[in-house]
Amino acid sequence: MNWNGCLYLIADFSYGEERILRALQCGVDVIQLREKNISSREYWERAVRMRQLTRQYPTTFIVNDRLDIALLSEADGVHLGQSDVPAGEARKILGPDKIIGATARTAEQAVKAAEEGVDYLGSGAWFTTDTKKDAVLIQEEEYRRILEKSGLPNVAIGGITPENCTRPLECGAPGIAVSAGILKGDIEENIAEFRRKLSRRVGI
């Protein structure tokens, strides 16, 4: 997968299936299903539905945190946090063809993830959000260290909007991970603006 210029949507069904579908229609490269405070069965049901939706589009489907749900829903991969199953163990189960992403907030975490064979990293938080007002913000210097030390593709994450996304892009982020910045407001307009900013980043 080409991560350069990647627009990565993090979604949950609280936004409504219609808005998720609209984002797929307007074109996102990756969609991650991230659900909180629901049962495993509900998570599985929503993952299966997301798999059905994404099969209609050239969009990579990733499940957040849950290796079991990723397997059962036939997702393209899984994104693992620092408290989740180790990426190396996940690779044994998923095999070589599935995508494994990991959260890395420090260069040390990024290097360890690279050693465990992950395909990409997500690093932040870049900005505070309504859902994570107490989020610890990443420093630009540390983000650059993460890029340098890991050698892995990295999507900047955390409160990113069409208005503020140039900051992580100027720091070297090849892609950006967005939730409300796409799904709130005019989805088509939001995606178009992100694409313009990403195009300038990758020179296309």
Side-chain angles (χ1 to χ4, degrees):
M1 175 171 171
N2 182 12
W3 293 93
N4 207 23
C6 177
L7 184 56
Y8 186 123
L9 173 61
I10 299 173
D12 65 72
F13 277 83
S14 69
Y15 287 100
E17 186 176 313
E18 288 184 4
R19 295 189 70 76
I20 291 171
L21 181 58
R22 183 61 182 149
L24 289 169
Q25 292 168 341
C26 291
V28 291
D29 302 302
V30 179
I31 187 166
Q32 179 194 121
L33 178 64
R34 183 173 67 184
E35 297 283 359
K36 303 293 184 182
N37 304 315
I38 63 173
S39 69
S40 293
R41 184 180 182 88
E42 287 176 301
Y43 205 148
W44 168 73
E45 289 172 345
R46 293 179 187 188
V48 169
R49 180 56 182 152
M50 188 73 87
R51 175 76 285 181
Q52 292 171 342
L53 294 173
T54 54
R55 287 197 192 281
Q56 305 172 56
Y57 302 93
T59 304
T60 299
F61 171 41
I62 302 291
V63 170
N64 186 59
D65 292 345
R66 297 287 300 269
L67 177 60
D68 55 340
I69 301 295
L71 279 166
L72 291 169
S73 64
E74 300 182 358
D76 297 307
V78 66
H79 186 93
L80 301 170
Q82 289 296 312
S83 61
D84 294 325
V85 173
E89 297 304 309
R91 178 63 73 196
K92 293 176 185 177
I93 295 171
L94 288 176
D97 298 327
K98 295 289 187 179
I99 296 170
I100 299 178
T103 298
R105 297 183 178 89
T106 67
E108 290 71 25
Q109 290 176 351
V111 169
K112 183 179 179 182
E115 291 171 349
E116 291 180 335
V118 307
D119 298 290
Y120 75 94
L121 299 173
S123 298
W126 278 87
F127 309 97
T128 57
T129 66
D130 290 338
T131 55
K132 289 189 177 181
K133 293 181 179 179
D134 59 345
V136 177
L137 301 186
I138 196 166
Q139 300 300 307
E140 291 183 8
E141 182 180 352
E142 187 64 20
Y143 186 74
R144 289 191 175 99
R145 286 186 68 230
I146 288 171
L147 293 176
E148 177 187 355
K149 298 294 184 181
S150 71
L152 290 172
N154 190 296
V155 289
I157 185 171
I160 293 175
T161 67
E163 293 73 33
N164 65 26
C165 68
T166 51
R167 184 177 155 212
L169 292 175
E170 287 172 352
C171 286
I176 47 178
V178 187
S179 184
I182 287 176
L183 292 173
K184 284 186 176 180
D186 188 318
I187 292 172
E188 183 174 6
E189 183 178 318
N190 290 339
I191 289 177
E193 184 58 25
F194 277 123
R195 288 295 186 196
R196 281 191 286 271
K197 299 287 179 64
L198 285 163
S199 293
R200 287 200 286 271
R201 160 68 177 84
V202 300
I204 57 175

